[in-house]
Amino acid sequence: MARWMLDDIPWHRFDRDQLDPEVVRIVKSASLVEYNGAAYAHHLSRIFHDDPEFQQNARRWGEEEIQHGKALARWAVMADPDFDFEAAFMRFQAGYQVDFDLDVSRRGSRSGEMIARCMVEVGTSSHYTALRDAVQEPVLKEICRNIAADEIRHYKLFYNNLTRCLERERIGFSTRLRVAVRRVLESEDDELAYAYYAANETERPYDRRYFRRAYARRAYALCREHHVAQGMALIFKAVGLRPYGLLPRAASCIAWRVMRYRAIRLAKVGA
């Protein structure tokens, strides 16, 4: 069961005067990605076909991701009554298609799959923490607080299962690092760009480069240095390195500078 339910959100506190149109666009796209969680849970259940305990955990994880999508969608409709979530989700599913029926991981091993899932949870926990800290609207702030806490629990779920997988597979550090880096880079693939398009555009055709930039510009603007530092510690832990110390601090500093540079460039482009 989820640690919180939709009825726990103080919907009556919604404050239209605190809305930021740029944030509304981000929340609309996030609702589609989160609501698609069942597809990923299905894929994990197929990969771990002989592990009923983890399958149960994966299904529960998928249910919680769907709840995230429902909460974000409900808020988005309150912020923009013209937002048709069901129609947007249908556009998203039609335009962004992945084969979720594979019985093996695209990462080459079960351990690799868990590392990739850890990277996703690092990204989402950092994103919703940053969004919570940035917004003033009280209902969205509470939604993001709950989702960010869930994503940290999800990271722990996948990290603990990674530990179990490594007892059998023993993949090396270089492989773990390669999987992690590739998954982080995939954050700029079509999923987020197409979700942003499907949620916010109904007239113009999909332009991957344009909508990738449009999403990234708004997402990067939310992030602060301490959000990057927290995420970097979790990344280091997942690849088998000490999460705290000189090396993760240096990596975090570099990542933050790159992100700020890109945020400034994207702001100038103005997508």
Side-chain angles (χ1 to χ4, degrees):
M1 292 291 293
R3 304 297 177 91
W4 57 279
M5 304 298 290
L6 291 178
D7 289 343
D8 296 328
I9 301 298
W11 301 104
H12 65 283
R13 295 181 58 200
F14 179 75
D15 186 352
R16 183 168 296 279
D17 292 337
Q18 297 293 339
L19 292 181
D20 180 342
E22 300 284 41
V23 168
V24 174
R25 297 173 76 86
I26 284 287
V27 171
K28 288 179 183 179
S29 58
S31 70
L32 305 185
V33 176
E34 296 286 342
Y35 194 68
N36 203 35
Y40 288 97
H42 170 74
H43 183 44
L44 288 176
S45 293
R46 292 184 69 92
I47 294 172
F48 291 87
H49 58 87
D50 57 351
D51 189 342
E53 180 181 356
F54 181 73
Q55 285 183 325
Q56 182 178 10
N57 288 331
R59 285 191 290 270
R60 184 180 300 114
W61 165 76
E63 291 168 359
E64 293 184 355
E65 295 295 302
I66 291 171
Q67 178 170 273
H68 297 171
K70 289 180 177 179
L72 293 168
R74 181 170 172 177
W75 183 89
V77 171
M78 294 172 72
D80 178 6
D82 291 331
F83 177 51
D84 188 337
F85 172 74
E86 295 297 335
F89 187 68
M90 289 179 63
R91 287 196 299 273
F92 176 59
Q93 284 193 311
Y96 179 75
Q97 297 183 347
V98 177
D99 185 0
F100 292 107
D101 286 324
L102 293 177
D103 294 327
V104 295
S105 172
R106 299 176 181 84
R107 315 298 169 180
S109 66
R110 290 179 171 184
S111 296
E113 184 65 33
M114 291 298 94
I115 292 170
R117 296 318 312 171
C118 283
M119 294 306 102
V120 173
E121 302 305 329
V122 169
T124 53
S125 63
S126 297
H127 174 70
Y128 289 110
T129 300
L131 187 56
R132 178 203 66 193
D133 294 345
V135 302
Q136 298 301 315
E137 202 292 305
V139 177
L140 181 58
K141 188 178 284 288
E142 180 66 8
I143 292 171
C144 291
R145 184 188 69 80
N146 281 291
I147 294 179
D150 280 352
E151 305 297 19
I152 289 295
R153 284 195 299 105
H154 296 164
Y155 174 91
K156 293 177 181 178
L157 166 67
F158 295 130
Y159 180 81
N160 290 338
N161 202 51
L162 167 63
T163 302
R164 293 174 55 210
C165 293
L166 288 172
E167 293 176 357
R168 296 184 179 182
E169 294 175 330
R170 300 288 183 181
I171 64 174
F173 168 73
S174 61
T175 300
R176 293 173 69 171
L177 181 62
R178 183 168 61 252
V179 170
V181 170
R182 285 180 177 176
R183 187 61 188 88
V184 170
L185 293 176
E186 286 174 13
S187 64
E188 296 195 1
D189 68 5
D190 274 329
E191 183 176 27
L192 295 175
Y194 204 90
Y196 184 88
Y197 166 74
N200 294 289
E201 183 61 63
T202 57
E203 299 296 332
R204 64 186 293 175
Y206 177 60
D207 181 331
R208 182 178 186 269
R209 186 167 181 264
Y210 176 86
F211 287 104
R212 178 176 59 81
R213 287 182 170 186
Y215 174 83
R217 178 172 72 83
R218 292 163 174 84
Y220 287 170
L222 301 171
C223 201
R224 297 294 179 265
E225 189 171 5
H226 65 280
H227 301 135
V228 176
Q230 293 166 2
M232 191 61 67
L234 296 176
I235 290 173
F236 268 57
K237 182 177 180 179
V239 300
L241 294 173
R242 293 177 58 185
Y244 302 105
L246 181 60
L247 185 58
R249 284 200 300 270
S252 176
C253 182
I254 293 171
W256 167 244
R257 290 183 178 182
V258 170
M259 181 175 290
R260 290 308 303 157
Y261 172 74
R262 296 191 65 187
I264 293 170
R265 287 194 62 186
L266 289 168
K268 290 180 179 179
V269 172

